[in-house]
Amino acid sequence: MSLSRVTMNTQAIARLDLTKLRENAYFALRDAFTRGAFAPGDTLSLRMLAEQLGVSMTPVREAVRRLVAEGALVDTPSRTLMVPHFDARRAADLMAARLALERLVLDQAMDRIDAAGIDMLDAILTRAKDGPDNLPDLVANHDFHFTLYGYSGSDVLLPLIQALWLQYGAYLNLIINRPQAGQIAEHAHHHEIVAALRARDRSAAQAALQADITRSFRFLIPES
């Protein structure tokens, strides 16, 4: 399957506060990857990332080491940093892993979430859109899922899911830049999840989550 590479938006990374630079550099870059700022095959440099973040290359170098270890970047023999190319098998594995872990953490969250928490999820879906009107709201999508998953209280599962989203981010870039992306009713399954949470319908919540995850992957692996 041939997928064209999309050039990174140069404004995708927020500049940093000059305190806690090492930690903040990592989190800023991680968020950029998770929300689709980079496409498979993009090549990056420490200097370019440092300029966008407004810091020296030292904290960026340490952040990049972590991103390489987590699979979001590849440090090539020529010392060029590259976002891994699209691979259908890897995409299928990411989908399977996300389904397994996110179903589990949703089940745990349902045992702990209260009415105020459900209202918070609803508010995320109805707030003003953060980004172009013709593209999915990736900030709301991320906030919805991780606000929900946070109610699980799992110190084990949440970092694993975050790592999967980090690797999936480059593929998300391919999805949101396709013409069909603007036609997605992006929060349809999210509203189904909220309704299932209010009804305490575990099966309906799980079905809506599965539909939400697999829908995006179908842009990449149509047989999924």
Side-chain angles (χ1 to χ4, degrees), residues 8 16 38 60 65 75 167 202:
M8 190 194 97
L16 296 178
F38 305 91
V60 174
R65 287 196 192 104
D75 193 356
Q167 295 181 56
R202 207 171 289 266

Side-chain angles (χ1 to χ4, degrees), residues 104-113 148-149 151-152:
L104 182 57
V105 83
L106 170 62
D107 200 52
Q108 294 182 0
M110 289 192 73
D111 291 332
R112 303 179 60 172
I113 196 167
L148 171 59
Y149 299 160
Y151 277 91
S152 72

Side-chain angles (χ1 to χ4, degrees), residues 47-93:
R47 186 175 303 279
M48 178 270 286
L49 294 174
E51 287 175 354
Q52 289 199 38
L53 292 169
V55 298
S56 71
M57 287 198 288
T58 299
V60 174
R61 186 176 289 111
E62 296 187 17
V64 162
R65 287 196 192 104
R66 294 176 67 178
L67 293 168
V68 169
E70 292 169 333
L73 278 171
V74 175
D75 193 356
T76 69
S78 65
R79 308 306 297 170
T80 300
L81 296 167
M82 186 177 69
V83 182
H85 287 290
F86 175 81
D87 181 87
R89 169 63 186 274
R90 187 164 181 256
D93 285 349

